[in-house]
């Protein structure tokens, strides 16, 4: 599975500006293998793409590479710390 992880890392690094901030970790779950991808906060828009097209293409390519290695692989892009819902909390 190391080859799929390395491929995912190289693929994402080719898309983003801050290549050194890219990290890929592997988790086994009930559905197969889950790749957790972290990028710099400023690169989130690049990895997601317009209407999610880029991230969907990345998921599809990695799924195909995983299939060639007899593994079911899914991809999750992790939100940077402190990001996410920026709405004020109700008191």
């Amino acid at each position: 599975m190391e080859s799929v992880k390395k491929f995912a890392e190289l693929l994402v690094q080719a898309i983003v500006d801050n290549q050194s901030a890219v990290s890929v970790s592997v988790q086994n779950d009930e559905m197969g293998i889950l790749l957790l991808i972290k990028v710099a906060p400023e690169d989130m828009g690049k990895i997601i793409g317009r209407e999610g097209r880029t991230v969907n293409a990345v998921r599809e390519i990695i799924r195909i590479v995983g299939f060639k290695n007899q593994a079911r692989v899914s991809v999750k892009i992790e939100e940077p710390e402190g990001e996410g819902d920026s709405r004020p909390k109700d008191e």
Side-chain angles (χ1 to χ4, degrees):
M1 197 42 44
E2 189 63 32
S3 62
V4 176
K5 177 184 173 189
K6 186 65 175 167
F7 176 79
E9 193 172 301
L10 291 172
L11 180 63
V12 172
Q13 285 176 343
I15 296 170
V16 299
D17 289 331
N18 189 353
Q19 297 171 346
S20 62
V22 173
S23 70
V24 179
S25 59
V26 178
Q27 289 183 354
N28 291 321
D29 64 4
E30 65 279 352
M31 298 295 290
I33 296 167
L34 176 64
L35 293 181
L36 299 169
I37 298 176
K38 290 183 184 179
V39 296
E42 60 271 11
D43 286 328
M44 284 298 288
K46 288 189 183 218
I47 194 65
I48 293 172
R50 212 172 264 193
E51 296 180 3
R53 290 183 187 146
T54 304
V55 73
N56 287 336
V58 167
R59 285 182 174 128
E60 187 68 20
I61 292 168
I62 293 173
R63 193 165 53 92
I64 291 168
V65 172
F67 180 74
K68 288 187 76 172
N69 288 288
Q70 291 81 37
R72 181 182 171 116
V73 180
S74 54
V75 174
K76 180 180 178 187
I77 308 296
E78 291 190 12
E79 288 189 37
E81 294 296 319
E83 297 291 318
D85 192 7
S86 59
R87 293 177 288 169
K89 304 287 182 208
D90 291 334
E91 294 180 18

